[in-house]
Amino acid sequence: MPAIYVLDVPEFRALAEVARTKPAYRVTEPGLGYLKIESDIDIVFDRKELGFKPAIWYGAFTGGVHGRIAEFGRDTVRIVADGEASAA
Amino acid sequence: MPDTPTILGGVHHTARPTWKLKETVEFYHDILGLPIVHAISAVGWGPEDHPDFIHLFFGSGRESTIAFFYYLGTPKPEEALPLGNWLYKSVHTAWRVETREELLAWKARLEERGLDVLQVRHEIIESIYVTDPNGYMVEFTWQIRAMSEHDGLDAKLTLAAAIAIEEETGRPVGDIETVWRRKADLVAARLAEAA
């Protein structure tokens, strides 16, 4: 399953806040200042829903990614589990 | 805004490109002893030809930092570049202002004098940029929040991921996704150690 680590800091916190509203995603606090977001399905984020400016958007996964980025556009990102076909 | 004075608070960071990530970390961190305080890794954005990058910051005292851009999959230019090339913009000085009000006062002042001002909200800073008559970019910035120990650990893991890949493959890492994937493994391992 795809998962991401997000540093629990104000500029990235919307990732966890939005993830918590989606039943397929699980948000945990594993420690060392990180949040972990994992999902049984693709992890998809919408830039506008997150309220991210471009600089934050394009660095949003600096915490680390388990899986593969199948799509990273101006407003949509999709992370899939390893081994799944890319839509790109 | 007219009541907000436009006073600089010293240098926040100076920045330049590097084509030697590991050696740069060894020099500034291991030899000089500067702390790794922050690192941004991102998919290339902005100009269409802008590559993925890691932007790393070492603390240089009194809240100042020295910063480097590590552009992924981008060979060091062998010849002089045209002045408008984006690579020139990576070499810059950023002055500190203390508040957002001061930043906006600077923006107003510069715009009143006819300058084009670019405003960008970054991870932990918000900045305005102008270009001087030489074509050099100057940045004014206010730091939105203090850097924490978690920023430092996160930065170290980003750099460790990129360096590990390059040591294993013997060549520069070409894209940031590869770094992010390795970094998740490093974060997981560090969390397991801490548990």
Side-chain angles (χ1 to χ4, degrees):
Chain A
M1 69 183 77
I4 60 171
Y5 291 103
V6 179
L7 207 55
D8 186 13
V9 290
E11 64 268 26
F12 292 131
R13 200 161 286 147
L15 288 164
E17 289 170 356
V18 167
R20 286 193 179 99
T21 68
K22 300 183 188 296
Y25 300 175
R26 291 177 298 285
V27 181
T28 54
E29 299 179 21
L32 300 176
Y34 287 101
L35 302 167
K36 185 178 186 182
I37 300 171
E38 52 194 329
S39 171
D40 294 324
I41 59 174
D42 296 355
I43 293 177
V44 178
F45 285 107
D46 178 88
R47 185 176 68 81
K48 288 170 182 154
E49 186 178 9
L50 294 166
F52 280 180
K53 300 285 189 188
I56 312 291
W57 173 245
Y58 288 112
F61 305 112
T62 191
V65 174
H66 284 309
R68 205 166 42 71
I69 297 174
E71 176 186 359
F72 205 144
R74 285 176 57 87
D75 295 313
T76 303
V77 68
R78 191 162 59 87
I79 300 167
V80 303
D82 276 322
E84 289 185 13
S86 169
Chain B
M1 205 68 66
D3 295 334
T4 304
T6 46
I7 300 169
L8 298 178
V11 172
H12 181 276
H13 65 266
T14 61
R16 71 255 325 118
T18 176
W19 280 269
K20 294 182 175 180
L21 179 64
K22 183 185 175 194
E23 293 87 342
T24 299
V25 171
E26 287 175 346
F27 180 81
Y28 286 96
H29 180 257
D30 302 348
I31 297 174
L32 299 189
L34 274 53
I36 298 167
V37 293
H38 192 61
I40 296 155
S41 62
V43 170
W45 67 279
E48 275 190 15
D49 57 348
H50 198 291
D52 293 358
F53 64 94
I54 298 171
H55 194 15
L56 52 150
F57 294 75
F58 301 94
S60 51
R62 299 192 179 200
E63 299 187 295
S64 71
T65 57
I66 179 167
F68 292 86
F69 290 100
Y70 189 57
Y71 299 112
L72 278 51
T74 306
K76 185 176 183 178
E78 297 295 332
E79 300 174 12
L81 297 168
L83 193 55
N85 189 282
W86 60 266
L87 209 52
Y88 277 115
K89 297 186 189 306
S90 69
V91 181
H92 68 269
T93 293
W95 286 313
R96 175 188 298 275
V97 299
E98 300 302 330
T99 65
R100 187 162 203 268
E101 287 67 34
E102 288 179 57
L103 185 76
L104 297 179
W106 271 105
K107 185 183 183 193
R109 173 176 170 165
L110 297 169
E111 286 178 337
E112 278 169 17
R113 285 159 175 75
L115 292 170
D116 289 328
V117 181
L118 174 67
Q119 182 174 357
V120 180
R121 167 72 187 250
H122 295 286
E123 280 81 358
I124 61 169
I125 58 175
E126 184 172 20
S127 302
I128 59 170
Y129 302 86
V130 291
T131 304
D132 86 354
N134 305 292
Y136 301 132
M137 196 181 68
V138 179
E139 178 179 357
F140 302 68
T141 194
W142 76 284
Q143 192 164 316
I144 296 160
R145 64 172 178 84
M147 297 179 200
S148 73
E149 59 178 316
H150 292 140
D151 288 302
L153 172 64
D154 186 67
K156 284 181 184 174
L157 294 176
T158 297
L159 302 180
I163 290 170
I165 294 163
E166 297 191 346
E167 289 191 326
E168 287 169 15
T169 62
R171 53 188 161 80
V173 64
D175 66 277
I176 207 64
E177 182 181 351
T178 303
V179 176
W180 289 347
R181 287 164 57 88
R182 173 61 63 92
K183 186 177 172 189
D185 295 338
L186 297 184
V187 171
R190 188 62 71 97
L191 287 167
E193 282 174 23

